[in-house]
Every structure is written in structure tokens, then in C-alpha cells.
Amino acid sequence: MSISQAIEKVEARYAHQPEFIQAVKEVALTIAPLYDAHPEYETFKIFERLIEPDRVIGFRINWENDKGEVQVNRGWRVQFSNALGPYKGGVRFHPTVNQSVLKFLGFEQIFKNALTGLPMGGGKGGSDFDPKGKTDNEIRRFCYAFMRELHQYVSKDIDVPAGDIGVGGREVSYMFAMYKNLTHEYGGVLTGKGVGFGGSLMRTEATGYGAVYFLENMLAAQNDSMEGKTVLVSGAGNVSLHAAEKANMLGAKVITVSDSQGTLYDESGFDQEKIDWLKKQKEQSKPLADYVEVFGGEWLAKQKPWKFKGDIAIPSATQNEVDEDDAKLMVENGIKYVAEGANMPLTAEAVDYVCLHRVHYAPGKAANAGGVAVSALEMSQNSVRQYKTFEQIDERLKAIMKNIHDCAAEASEKYGQTDNGYINYMAGANIVGFKRVADALVAYGILN
Ligand code: NDP
Ligand code: 2IT
């Protein structure tokens, strides 16, 4: 079955899973030069195999709210591919979670994890549980109930979940506690654990910092740097605020963050004091809009950040947050670099638009791989039962992000995707990630 036939099959079989189709098509349409150069991939039906997860585990989660009322949610774990290591990927708690979203995330995770060069397969999990407005007791009861189901399917050598939207250090700790309670095993089953009971230093910062390290490499490839650049960030969660923090540390000026309620604009830029305030505010689930009373700036209810002028955009909230109209605004407003902090924040049309206008574009599976890379470092620290310093992890993270950048850039050149100095990071990253997984699958024969 050719790649185009495989796409047709996915479209017919999973017509009700648009995000999954979108993620599959992006990979399919960019790996053709690699596929053509490796006839064994077709013989072994590698693409056809990789678009079907090893398994999708679904379950029901019963839990009790503070009023003692029984609540019912749905949960899943998509174990996509363990060709390169244990299934690895985050857990998302958000009302929009469904199988399409988790399959797109799990599919991308296979290639992202391969790009890190560390031994991890790809997976993703989550629930349609909405953490908004829930008390700490309710979050705890939900996390316990979620892991009561999930624990049967995961372990440090089988499948290692972590955080994602709606799941941070607090939730991982509750889930880890339940896993330990049920299995009597104190190991590296989840990453993003608290530092002091198995967590790695820098895991919290890793995705946002890593995205900015990736940007530094993109800029360096154009003889440019972060210094003095104006940056638009979307989202105000873990990835966004750490991306803003690192960009600020490197001398750039971040003028926007946002959340599901709107955009916060501060033309003087978010310095460390303001970022610390934002972190605290979001941690307490309080409105971003309160910022204006404390520091000034402007709150734009129900608006996105892309109407402002800038050099760099780091969309870091959620999938498909940037549509073609937003991409047009970015180009009009002078954006020259887009690094995806979130997974698939640009629609396919938005990607086409920015690339057509020669905006340097780093897809999430390359730019936001720093989080899962430090998760892999957490797994290895758990295995040897020794911990590295913040500086040691930071050095590793920088080296990993540089390596991902350089491998993607080289593949773009090698497979004829670089056009007059314009590097196609999407094609490069997909080719490198896909090749690593495909070569392992060919070596295994037809198992996996
Ligand atoms: P958080 O839960 O910490 O923050 C999510 C942020 O995005 C919040 O500001 C939230 O706003 C906003 N947001 C979420 N959904 C929507 C929506 N439907 N519309 C508008 N805004 C929305 O999540 P993370 O920072 O961890 O994750 C952000 C993105 O980064 C996701 O795509 C995730 O998959 C990706 N990612 C995360 C990694 C990690 O290590 N955490 C690693 C790699 C990628 P509000 O607070 O109002 O809900
Ligand atoms: O999308 C992602 O890479 C994550 N949410 C982090 C996954 C992980 O296992 O650290």
C-alpha cells in the first residue's frame, strides 16, 4: 500500500477523527523523498503499520465530588508504538479530550521521542475530566480514581505517562502515590514527579526552555540571535510561561501571553518579576486580567495575541489555535520565526501560509521535544538512583535541542527540501524521526 493509499484508508476509517487525520497527513506528505529512497519501508508496510496504534485502552472513571455525588468520566491510554522504548507521553485532563486528540498526540509523540535520540516509544493518555473549578480534594480523588484504572497498563519498562494540559506536578504526585499504593513499586513509572521523591530537576522548565533553545539554533542558522527580539507567546501554562522566562533571560522582550479567556499585552515586556506573578496567578486559577491592575498593560478579552507586531511567535496553548487568518496576521506583523511550544498549534493551512511566506517554522515535535527529553533523563536517573544537578540537565537539554535542530536541518538539505537557505524543519524533523522508527521496525521483521 502506497502512502497515498494509506492516507485514503485513514480518512475513510477515521473520518470522525480530524486531528488524527491532520497529524498523519503532515507526516505522510513530508516523508515521500525518504520513502522513495527506501523500498524496504514499502515492503514491510511501515507507514501502514505506524498509522494504527498498538492498542487504545479505554476505561471509565468513577469518582465522588465534594458534595458526595458520583461523577463519571472517560479515560484512555493510546499505546502507539514501542519500537524504540517503553511507550512514553503525557496525560491530558481537558473536556476536549477524545480519541482523535489522543491519537494525534500519540502519533506525533512517536517521532518527537525518536528525535530526542533517547530510548522511548510513543503514547498519550487522558480524560475528558475538566479540572476547572474543582477543589484540591476533588482533583486528588479524580487522580486516584484515574490511576486506579490506568495502573494495570503502565510500568517503568512498559509505559511511562507524564503531564500535559491540566496535568502538572500536583496531579502527577497524586497519580504516582496511587500507583505505588497499588503495586508496591517505587520506580520511574511517571515523569514530572516532585523533586525530592524521584523527579528530575528542570523537568518543569524543560519544554519551554527547550523551545527557546531550539529557536536560538534556528536564529543562529540565519546568523541571528534572540537578543532584542520581540516575542509573542500564547497560553499561560507550563510551556508558555517557561518559554517566556527563557526568552526574557536571553535578552528578548515577550509582550503577550494568553489563556482560554483572552490575551494579556504588555508593551514593556514580561520581566522575571511579572512572570513569577503570572505563574502564581495561574497556579491559583485566578484571572490573567488582574495583571493590569498590578502592572498595567492591556487585557483583550476573547482575543488571540497575533494582532501585535513581533519577530518571533511561540504558540504554546493547544492544537489548531492558529488558523490561516492568524497566520496572515503573523506575516503582516513581521513575524520571521514560529516555534511550536504546543502540539500542532497551527492548522495545516496556517503552516502552508507561513512556509509560503518563508517564515522559519519549527513543528512541535522538534521544538517542544525538550520536555519529553528531560523526562527520559528522569527515567534514567530513577534507574540508577542518582540525581544530576540543574546545570547538568540544562547542558544536556541544550545539547539535545541543538542535535534535533541540526539533524532536521541536515535532513532537509539531504532530501532536497531546503530552498535557497530556507530550511524545511517540518520535512527534516519528520524524515529523521520516521527513519529512526522505520529502521527499527524493519530490523524487527513483522513484529511490532
Ligand atoms: P497547561 O495546562 O499548563 O496550560 C495550558 C494553557 O493553554 C493554559 O493557559 C490554557 O488556558 C491554554 N489552553 C488550553 N486549552 C485551550 C483552548 N482549548 N483554548 C484556549 N486556550 C487553551 O498545559 P501545558 O503548558 O503543559 O501544555 C500546553 C501545550 O504544550 C499543549 O499543546 C501540550 O500538549 C504541549 N506540550 C506540553 C509539554 C509539557 O511538558 N507540559 C511538552 C510538550 C508539549 P486556561 O488556563 O484558560 O485553560
Ligand atoms: O507532549 C509532550 O511531549 C508532553 N506532554 C510531555 C511528555 C512526557 O512524557 O514528558
Side-chain angles (χ1 to χ4, degrees), residues 39 48 86 88 154 277 297 308 311 327 348 388 390 417 430 447-448:
E48 193 182 343
K88 180 82 194 90
V154 300
W277 185 93
F308 295 104
D311 306 298
K388 301 226 190 292
F390 192 91
Q417 305 300 305
N430 285 337
L447 286 180
N448 270 103

Side-chain angles (χ1 to χ4, degrees), residues 20 37 70 74 92 106 121 123 148-149 196 204 314 318 340 366 409 429:
F20 177 56
V70 176
R74 304 207 294 162
R92 179 178 290 190
R148 207 165 50 222
E149 296 306 316
T204 310
I314 315 180
T318 195
E340 294 187 335

